[in-house]
Amino acid sequence: MSKCPHLDKVLGMNEPITRRDFLDGALIASTGMLLAAACPFPVSAQAGGASQADWATWTGYTGEGDYKGSAGNTEQVIHDAHEVRDGDFDKVPAGVTDTGETYDCVVVGGGFAGLSAGLFFHQRTTHDRTCLILDNAKIFGGVAKRNEFIVDGHRLFAPQASVHFQPPYPDSFLKRVYDAMGLDWDAFKSYQKWQGPSPQIDLPRSPYGVGNINGKPAEGFFFGAKFGQKPGIWIKDPWGKDLVGCPFSEVTRKEMLALHGDHYVKPPLVYDYPGDSVSRQLDSMTIEDYYVRTYGVSRETIRLLVTPETSGGFGLGPDALSAFLQYMWSKVIPTVDDSMATGLQMFPGGNSGMIRLLTKTLIPDSIDGSRTMAATHNNRVNFGALDRSGQSVRIRLESTAVRVEHMGEPEKADFVSVMYLKDGKLYRVKAKTVVMAGGGWMTKHVVRDLDETRRKSYDQFLYSPYMTANVAVRNWRFMYNLGISSASWFEGFGRYINVRKDATFGVDLPTVGPDLPTVLTFFVDFARPGLPALAQGQMGRAELLSTPFATYERQIREQMMEMFGPSGFDAKRDIAGIVLNRFGHAFVNPQPGFFFGLEGKPAPRDALRDGPFGRIAFSHSDLSGAMDHRNAFMESDRAVSQLLNRVLT
């Protein structure tokens, strides 16, 4: 990667916009030491042999508003988590402060699983029962946070990770959860309208969708040096043209068309219910194996086409994941309309809007104003109200659980000890019950008296990293000039971006058009097809954690200049801000056998879901095999139900 001073100036690398409010007031000198301590591997050569000074620029600009300083996994979150993993709290340290507090339920984790566990506990017990939610970040939400930008006087939002949702069936469990948090479907009847005079492109409502021009997809494929194209070329509406003009071999083109057809969308092997013979057959092989057997296409073509699809939802490619994973949704979590065009809905900041509704429901004073969609989405968080004495539900931020264990034998103990790290100090509270609503990669280290069966189950959970890069631009005329609103490519940084329209209740611009600012979301996976899933996750995390902000920033600017420079894009002029959201364990990666087991052995998740461990129950979407807010709700519903009888004893 070039570091030519002249090129950096052209790219806008010397501009201050992406580094203003650097580290949000944190001490720059301490950041390098903190990240170096958190990183368990040598800094990679690909990252330029990063020095302590490079580590000091790991975070970069983090946006504005409530989520400033909380973009993805922050340095402090990583540092604290690695201390737990590395055994710093294997023995009870001296100097632990006992707060004197006893709660009916302590929930570890403040994402969808944790907050919904608080909601279900609150609903199913009397209001004098108390619940404390511990979260390790500066703001609640887990992966359902957002980035905020101010561009040319306009406030823009973009999701950090969790993006959208679909309408549930009437009287369903999902509908009851949405209703309980105050989700108002009428608010999504109005999305931004087109601003002329340029002819309209119909834009999607999610960063995963594709817009249309006169009924044809406004999508383009870019091909660069990897495909022998220098300068690169664009193929507009590639699927509508049957990939004609794309620099694929004829064999690859035919195989991609076969996979992209009806069989890819509606697989011929359909199961009746989870656990039947067909679903078990699917779970016995990878997605890639299934496609090879079913369609007779090459593994190379499958990886080229399907990896962007599976990695965007499950972290890795089809070579590593159970074939059941791709076909589970219609029966496990059915919704009225799953289509991108009409069913999908999205808050301007992704599912952070839903998280804010949940928090407002649990603690009415947590967000200023009334519990309307607009007020809850747009008004500021009242952080002082989250952990106020006397509330039935409290949320304690920047509190990393480090030791959770029964105070006695698990099946006989009356209480659970919960120790957490906050501001460099250790505290302890007592709980009648505990819901572990954080990911399994931490839970297996934090629950100190965990039995061997459950511990071995957690050892079979594999995870991969992911990153979203939200790039605020002053206009997107450079894409419009190409006749596209979404772009895909097969080399370089990321795989895909698009322009989307927002629900009007959450933005200050009722219109959208090529000369107005927007945020482009780059989705970056770390799949390395062909390697074992465990190795792919480990190598991906090594890259994610060892790469300075400036290296990724340069990749983004160079990628955009190569693709859009000829159509009028100027990185220095047009980029208003970049935020990186890095997640070290973004996705669980269910290998064959994850869902129903192999060779007569139980599935890894069974021991963790079938019942509580004494007064501790386990809840997070990774237990379902896919990181999805609906799965988080269902797991928390189960976990809270398993503990209710213990609250009263």
Side-chain angles (χ1 to χ4, degrees), residues 1 3 43-50 528 539 543 546-548 551 555:
M1 191 67 64
K3 291 188 179 180
V43 176
S44 71
Q46 288 183 335
R528 290 170 169 82
M539 293 175 68
E543 178 183 334
S546 66
T547 304
T551 299
Q555 290 177 9

Side-chain angles (χ1 to χ4, degrees), residues 123-156:
Q123 289 177 327
R124 297 170 192 176
T125 59
T126 57
H127 286 191
D128 61 336
R129 297 291 181 176
T130 55
C131 178
L132 173 67
I133 300 172
L134 297 174
D135 191 69
N136 61 358
K138 293 182 178 181
I139 187 170
F140 46 78
V143 298
K145 297 187 178 81
R146 70 193 189 199
N147 298 142
E148 300 178 22
F149 300 87
I150 304 297
V151 180
D152 298 337
H154 297 291
R155 189 177 176 202
L156 306 178

Side-chain angles (χ1 to χ4, degrees), residues 455-519:
R455 194 175 301 281
K456 287 182 177 179
S457 294
Y458 266 130
D459 287 342
Q460 297 178 67
F461 282 64
L462 307 177
Y463 298 90
S464 59
Y466 206 71
M467 180 168 68
T468 58
N470 281 317
V471 181
V473 291
R474 291 190 165 85
N475 67 83
W476 53 280
R477 172 64 63 176
F478 52 89
M479 292 180 69
Y480 187 88
N481 289 342
L482 292 168
I484 63 173
S485 61
S486 69
S488 298
W489 56 96
F490 302 87
E491 57 190 299
F493 183 89
R495 298 182 187 269
Y496 173 84
I497 54 172
N498 76 354
V499 180
R500 56 190 178 269
K501 57 186 176 183
D502 288 324
T504 54
F505 70 83
V507 292
D508 59 12
L509 279 170
T511 57
V512 62
D515 298 311
L516 293 173
T518 192
V519 180

Side-chain angles (χ1 to χ4, degrees), residues 604-623:
R605 59 190 187 150
D606 288 351
L608 299 160
R609 303 172 85 206
D610 288 347
F613 170 54
R615 292 180 173 270
I616 301 172
F618 305 91
S619 164
H620 198 267
S621 55
D622 52 2
L623 295 171

Side-chain angles (χ1 to χ4, degrees), residues 529-544:
L531 293 175
L534 177 62
Q536 292 192 50
Q538 291 172 335
M539 293 175 68
R541 274 187 292 279
E543 178 183 334
L544 180 75

Side-chain angles (χ1 to χ4, degrees), residues 338-529:
D338 280 317
S339 69
M340 286 285 182
T342 58
L344 181 147
Q345 306 292 342
M346 192 178 106
F347 288 87
N351 283 337
S352 64
M354 200 182 297
I355 284 285
R356 293 169 75 90
L357 280 174
L358 258 174
T359 305
K360 179 75 171 173
T361 300
L362 291 171
I363 305 173
D365 292 340
S366 60
I367 297 174
D368 295 337
S370 59
R371 199 182 68 154
T372 63
M373 297 287 279
T376 305
H377 182 274
N378 298 326
N379 292 350
R380 292 304 180 197
V381 171
N382 179 7
F383 288 96
L386 297 179
D387 193 15
R388 248 180 347 213
S389 178
Q391 296 174 166
S392 57
V393 179
R394 299 168 69 170
I395 299 174
R396 192 162 294 169
L397 299 176
E398 298 184 271
S399 301
T400 300
V402 299
R403 288 188 67 95
V404 173
E405 55 199 330
H406 292 90
M407 301 175 72
E409 295 180 32
E411 295 305 323
K412 298 179 180 179
D414 293 326
F415 294 99
V416 179
S417 168
V418 180
M419 188 185 301
Y420 62 92
L421 183 66
K422 182 177 177 63
D423 298 327
K425 298 179 180 179
L426 286 168
Y427 299 89
R428 182 192 288 116
V429 299
K430 286 172 59 178
K432 281 192 172 184
T433 59
V434 171
V435 176
M436 296 300 298
W441 64 92
M442 282 292 289
T443 298
K444 67 179 182 179
H445 296 294
V446 172
V447 181
R448 298 293 165 158
D449 55 351
L450 193 63
D451 63 283
E452 192 65 17
T453 299
R454 290 182 175 87
R455 194 175 301 281
K456 287 182 177 179
S457 294
Y458 266 130
D459 287 342
Q460 297 178 67
F461 282 64
L462 307 177
Y463 298 90
S464 59
Y466 206 71
M467 180 168 68
T468 58
N470 281 317
V471 181
V473 291
R474 291 190 165 85
N475 67 83
W476 53 280
R477 172 64 63 176
F478 52 89
M479 292 180 69
Y480 187 88
N481 289 342
L482 292 168
I484 63 173
S485 61
S486 69
S488 298
W489 56 96
F490 302 87
E491 57 190 299
F493 183 89
R495 298 182 187 269
Y496 173 84
I497 54 172
N498 76 354
V499 180
R500 56 190 178 269
K501 57 186 176 183
D502 288 324
T504 54
F505 70 83
V507 292
D508 59 12
L509 279 170
T511 57
V512 62
D515 298 311
L516 293 173
T518 192
V519 180
L520 303 175
T521 301
F522 288 73
F523 297 96
V524 184
D525 67 79
F526 297 86
R528 290 170 169 82

